[in-house]
Amino acid sequence: MDIARNSVVTFHYHVATNDGATVDTSQGGEPMAYLHGHGHIVPGLEEAMAGHRPGDRFEVTLPPEKAYGVSDGELDMRLPLDVFPGEARAQLKPGFQFMAEHPNKDGESVLFTVHAIEDSEALVSGNHELAGATLVFKIEVIDVRVATPEELTHGHAHGAGGHHH
Ligand code: ZN
């Protein structure tokens, strides 16, 4: 069957930046499964998947807006360490993540990652590490099936490559 809304799609992927550096690949591991039409994969890839069927291989190049978004300069910040509550301050190190409100968009929460601690400041970013990147996806569609009623209720794919409870 062709990939359409509420298909459960199993696929192998290889993702690289447009200068050829590999970002991620499922080759050599388990393929990934997702419920099509629910925004679980980046928008440009979901659009490109539609209509494909098992056995199809294709390549698609996605600009940042169709992948992990453009980089938002307002989300790259230096924060004085004393804005963090004491218990969080004790855990601050590169890789530490926390949710906070967007500095200029009321009510929009953003996941920030600490990239460095310098003197009395934390360098943090709320941009996805692939924000701003043009990405080349090579896809091999392995399987396409109709979602079960339970998967539709949960809003995600179950089983191999999908969600486990
Ligand atoms: Zn579930």
Side-chain angles (χ1 to χ4, degrees):
M1 60 179 277
D2 295 351
I3 296 171
R5 184 171 167 79
N6 295 334
S7 298
V8 172
V9 183
T10 306
F11 67 105
H12 271 298
Y13 59 91
H14 178 274
V15 190
T17 57
N18 58 347
D19 55 12
T22 298
V23 172
D24 195 12
T25 182
S26 65
Q27 297 296 344
E30 289 294 308
M32 178 178 166
Y34 78 100
L35 180 63
H36 187 82
H38 294 257
H40 294 318
I41 59 175
V42 298
L45 183 57
E46 190 156 54
E47 284 170 23
M49 284 283 198
H52 279 287
R53 51 183 61 188
D56 282 1
R57 292 166 185 262
F58 64 93
E59 178 176 318
V60 61
T61 299
L62 302 179
E65 310 81 68
K66 294 282 190 179
Y68 291 93
V70 295
S71 204
D72 179 348
E74 292 180 337
L75 296 180
D76 293 323
M77 297 190 291
R78 285 177 170 272
L79 298 175
L81 295 182
D82 58 18
V83 304
F84 294 92
E87 64 216 57
R89 209 180 309 155
Q91 299 178 54
L92 284 181
K93 59 179 187 206
F96 180 83
Q97 294 188 313
F98 61 95
M99 295 295 298
E101 195 161 290
H102 189 291
N104 295 305
K105 293 178 189 162
D106 278 352
E108 183 178 312
S109 1
V110 177
L111 178 67
F112 285 89
T113 303
V114 174
H115 288 292
I117 308 289
E118 285 181 3
D119 302 321
S120 55
E121 291 179 320
L123 275 58
V124 307
S125 178
N127 286 305
H128 189 282
E129 60 182 327
L130 292 172
T134 294
L135 297 173
V136 181
F137 286 79
K138 288 181 185 159
I139 300 298
E140 179 184 1
V141 180
I142 306 293
D143 186 53
V144 181
R145 63 172 171 83
V146 176
T148 64
E150 189 184 48
E151 286 173 321
L152 292 176
T153 305
H154 290 195
H156 54 228
H158 290 164
H163 210 90
H164 298 277
H165 293 286

